[in-house]
Amino acid sequence: MFTTRPTLQGTFGMVSSTHWLASQSAMAVLEDGGNAYDAAVAAGFVLHVVEPHLNGPAGEVPIILAPAGGEVRVLCGQGPAPRGATIEHYRSLGLGLVPGTGPLAAAVPGAFDAWMVLLRDHGTKSLAEVLRYAVGYAEDGHAPVERIGLTVESVRELFETEWTTSADVYLPGGKTPAPGELFRNPALAATWRRLITEAEATGSGDRTAEIEAAREIWRTGFIAEALLAQSARPTMDTSGSHHTGTLTAADLADWSAPYEAPVTYDWNGWTLCKAGGWSQGPAFLQQLALLPARAADLPRYGSADYVHLLVEGCKLAMADREAWYGDAAPVPLDTLLSEPYNTARRALIGERASYELRPGSPDGRAPVLSDHARAVAAGEPGLASPGVPAAGAGEPTVAKDGATRGDTCHLDIVDRWGNMVAATPSGGWLQSNPVVPGLGFPLGTRLQMAWLDPGLPNSLTPGRRPRTTLTPSLALRDGTPVVAFGTPGGDQQDQWQLHFFLALALRAPVRGGLDLQGAIDAPNWHNDSFPGSFYPRAMHPGSVTVEERMDPGVVAELRRRGHDVTVGDAWSEGRLCAVARDPATGILSAAANPRGMQGYAVGR
């Protein structure tokens, strides 16, 4: 079957990421004797440099790792709300939503510590060895992708009048970063060089001690001091006012990226692993649970019946996400993934498109939604806009009122020993907060995903994680890790990933292995029939956005069934990455998304 690129096959190592420089940097680490985890850390820090509009060191990164012969684990790089981030504090400022930008939206930074914990516990390389690729691209420059310049240009006025430290980095001499020209971030390079020097002086040549020293410098040293000073600066945000943040020295000093067991679901011989209910990851599993238990009982792949079933199932899963997911209260995942619950939920899927937000009642408990979610579900003017696709389904967007949001990155790696990892870095976008003076990167804005209503699973709560859209995936067969995959895309991530996984499970083998590239290339789609996770948290009931390559007959039938279909560009839905390992042969494979002309897979 024709695909945009081949599914790569080899035995040494495979990498797929959303930027070719990150992929090749990871491959260089593998070639230098490093393992998948060394390579992942190197790639993660390169992504901070080459996709700064999509992620940064003070953002977040959930990681799913499967050590060869070991247990699958989740490493949570999502920091919690600071101690002072209370609903009462935000309400006292006259806010109904957490702003989409600025220090009030900043959680405790999580990405840096998660990468360091991964390197310490599972890597083999030193701090300097994994950071040298990012330092090189920041110091010597890289040719920026178009979206960096477009994002900077969209917030030029804000940078020049308010966030002047960002202008210093991203508008040098008043010029926007341009493709084909070298763009440098010397402040970021200097930060990592100083970190390495101080860590090496403290660690006395011991790899683990150096990594621990670096973590301490981030928490309490020069980096922590700069982050706290930035949080305390009054900053213009999406509310139209200047606010200071709530981050304190104790918040930074006390947090460490934790390990957790994955949430799993078995379907048709596969076991899917996701992060817990503090993420949207279980929504992927709920969508699977709403399908027939046997693949043979699914409607024909790609048919109108098939797309309708997946869209309507997604609406039910995402309604449950809205009512039941979060870190401020226990999430009833056992019930949400149980057969009796999903049998009852499955009966709600009719022949016509639903325009309702219909959370379920696990264990007989009545769902409770935020005031804002109820308002958008009821179609309150200015909040719900039927028929209008949500802005920012893919790349970063900037609304006319100045509200900005970013997207995400992804990387997957498998090495010759069978170690496998999937990671979805995001947050700390260049358009989310001013660049911290002297550091070269901004704070994050993940708190915008928490509600300012008390008593909800996703209520803003000190010490608790805001529910995140970041959701890497790992799939097993017979208890053995086989595929690591994921995508950027906010609320769309677990839609696009489900479609990819089903395409993978239902398509014929290619060269004796999984058709990774074919599943990535297949026409994709998403819906926005639930409150969005990003400010201003809009909802678009009944909407479905499909790629132009979808069969016109399928589009017509979806419209006949009441779906409000928008036909997007031919290659506009998803930025998937994937790697795989055949347990029987040891053959490794990889593929990457052609959309956006940026993602790339490498390996041998």
Side-chain angles (χ1 to χ4, degrees), residues 130 138 147 264:
V130 295
R147 282 287 180 176
T264 63

Side-chain angles (χ1 to χ4, degrees), residues 130-149:
V130 295
L131 283 181
R132 68 187 183 95
Y133 305 92
V135 170
Y137 287 124
E139 193 167 65
D140 301 328
H142 63 96
V145 295
E146 290 85 350
R147 282 287 180 176
I148 296 177

Side-chain angles (χ1 to χ4, degrees), residues 452-591:
L452 296 181
D453 303 77
L456 303 173
N458 193 32
S459 295
L460 181 67
T461 306
R464 297 290 183 171
R465 294 164 288 193
R467 189 189 70 216
T468 180
T469 54
L470 308 177
T471 173
S473 301
L474 200 138
L476 294 76
R477 294 282 286 191
D478 301 320
T480 302
V482 174
V483 189
F485 60 98
T487 180
D491 295 313
Q492 287 72 42
Q493 289 182 33
D494 279 315
Q495 301 183 58
W496 292 334
Q497 289 184 72
L498 177 73
H499 307 159
F500 160 81
F501 169 73
L502 290 175
L504 192 69
L506 299 173
R507 295 172 78 94
V510 171
R511 294 174 180 157
L514 295 168
D515 186 9
L516 297 180
Q517 194 63 53
I520 288 174
D521 286 358
N524 217 322
W525 66 92
H526 80 273
N527 84 90
D528 300 296
S529 295
F530 47 86
S533 295
F534 293 90
Y535 183 94
R537 314 297 294 269
M539 171 178 169
H540 310 282
S543 68
V544 180
T545 303
V546 306
E547 290 185 321
E548 187 179 49
R549 295 178 296 126
M550 183 175 281
D551 182 342
V554 171
V555 173
E557 176 60 17
L558 291 174
R559 285 174 171 156
R560 189 192 69 78
R561 295 187 185 197
H563 295 281
D564 190 355
V565 181
T566 296
V567 178
D569 292 340
W571 296 91
S572 56
E573 292 283 314
R575 292 179 67 204
L576 283 147
C577 302
V579 300
R581 180 179 183 273
D582 186 329
T585 64
I587 292 175
L588 313 178
S589 56

Side-chain angles (χ1 to χ4, degrees), residues 138-160:
E139 193 167 65
D140 301 328
H142 63 96
V145 295
E146 290 85 350
R147 282 287 180 176
I148 296 177
L150 292 173
T151 302
V152 172
E153 194 59 40
S154 69
V155 288
R156 171 185 283 272
E157 183 178 353
L158 178 67
F159 280 14
E160 291 179 335

Side-chain angles (χ1 to χ4, degrees), residues 95-438:
L95 298 172
L97 292 173
V98 177
T101 61
L104 273 180
V108 177
F112 178 86
D113 196 65
W115 288 127
M116 290 297 101
V117 170
L118 182 67
L119 182 65
R120 180 196 67 189
D121 294 344
H122 299 280
T124 65
K125 295 290 189 180
S126 70
L127 182 68
E129 286 174 318
V130 295
L131 283 181
R132 68 187 183 95
Y133 305 92
V135 170
Y137 287 124
E139 193 167 65
D140 301 328
H142 63 96
V145 295
E146 290 85 350
R147 282 287 180 176
I148 296 177
L150 292 173
T151 302
V152 172
E153 194 59 40
S154 69
V155 288
R156 171 185 283 272
E157 183 178 353
L158 178 67
F159 280 14
E160 291 179 335
T161 60
E162 294 281 350
W163 298 5
T164 56
T165 56
S166 296
D168 293 341
V169 173
Y170 289 104
L171 287 169
K175 188 176 180 181
T176 304
E181 300 178 4
L182 286 178
F183 174 73
R184 298 175 173 85
N185 188 340
L188 180 59
T191 295
W192 297 146
R193 286 197 179 281
R194 180 177 174 184
L195 175 79
I196 292 167
T197 298
E198 292 189 8
E200 288 179 341
T202 304
S204 302
D206 180 80
R207 190 187 78 90
T208 300
E210 288 179 4
I211 295 168
E212 284 300 298
R215 296 178 69 209
E216 194 61 27
I217 292 165
W218 177 276
R219 290 193 186 108
T220 64
F222 78 94
I223 293 178
E225 292 171 0
L227 293 175
L228 294 170
Q230 181 60 47
S231 178
R233 289 188 182 92
T235 302
M236 175 67 74
D237 59 38
T238 51
S239 72
S241 299
H242 292 79
H243 292 112
T244 57
T246 61
L247 194 64
T248 67
D251 294 318
L252 285 174
D254 293 348
W255 187 78
S256 176
Y259 288 102
E260 300 176 357
V263 180
T264 63
Y265 186 79
D266 295 334
W267 183 83
N268 204 53
W270 292 86
T271 298
L272 281 299
C273 302
K274 301 290 284 187
W278 51 269
S279 77
Q280 74 171 356
F284 179 108
L285 307 181
Q286 281 197 255
Q287 290 176 84
L288 279 179
L290 287 163
L291 298 178
R294 298 192 318 144
D297 295 331
L298 281 169
R300 179 175 56 84
Y301 174 78
S303 66
D305 286 340
Y306 179 85
V307 177
H308 174 79
L309 176 65
L310 295 186
V311 169
E312 294 304 298
C314 175
K315 293 175 185 177
L316 294 174
M318 289 302 199
D320 277 345
R321 182 194 76 162
E322 191 54 51
W324 300 109
Y325 290 20
D327 196 35
V331 182
L333 287 177
D334 288 346
T335 302
L336 293 173
L337 294 173
S338 68
E339 181 55 33
Y341 180 81
N342 284 286
T343 297
R345 295 286 278 165
R346 200 177 297 122
L348 297 176
I349 300 176
E351 287 297 310
R352 300 283 297 174
S354 170
Y355 278 60
E356 299 178 76
L357 186 68
R358 298 181 290 178
S361 300
D363 305 316
R365 296 161 55 192
V368 180
L369 301 175
S370 69
D371 291 342
H372 185 88
R374 287 199 300 270
V376 298
E380 185 173 305
L383 294 177
S385 305
V388 182
E395 292 286 352
T397 59
V398 182
K400 291 181 179 179
D401 64 359
T404 63
R405 53 157 290 184
D407 197 6
T408 300
C409 310
H410 188 80
L411 64 89
D412 301 302
I413 304 174
V414 59
D415 64 27
R416 63 189 183 276
W417 300 287
N419 298 303
M420 189 175 289
V421 61
T424 309
S426 187
W429 307 309
L430 67 86
Q431 66 277 19
S432 67
N433 255 308
V435 166
V436 180

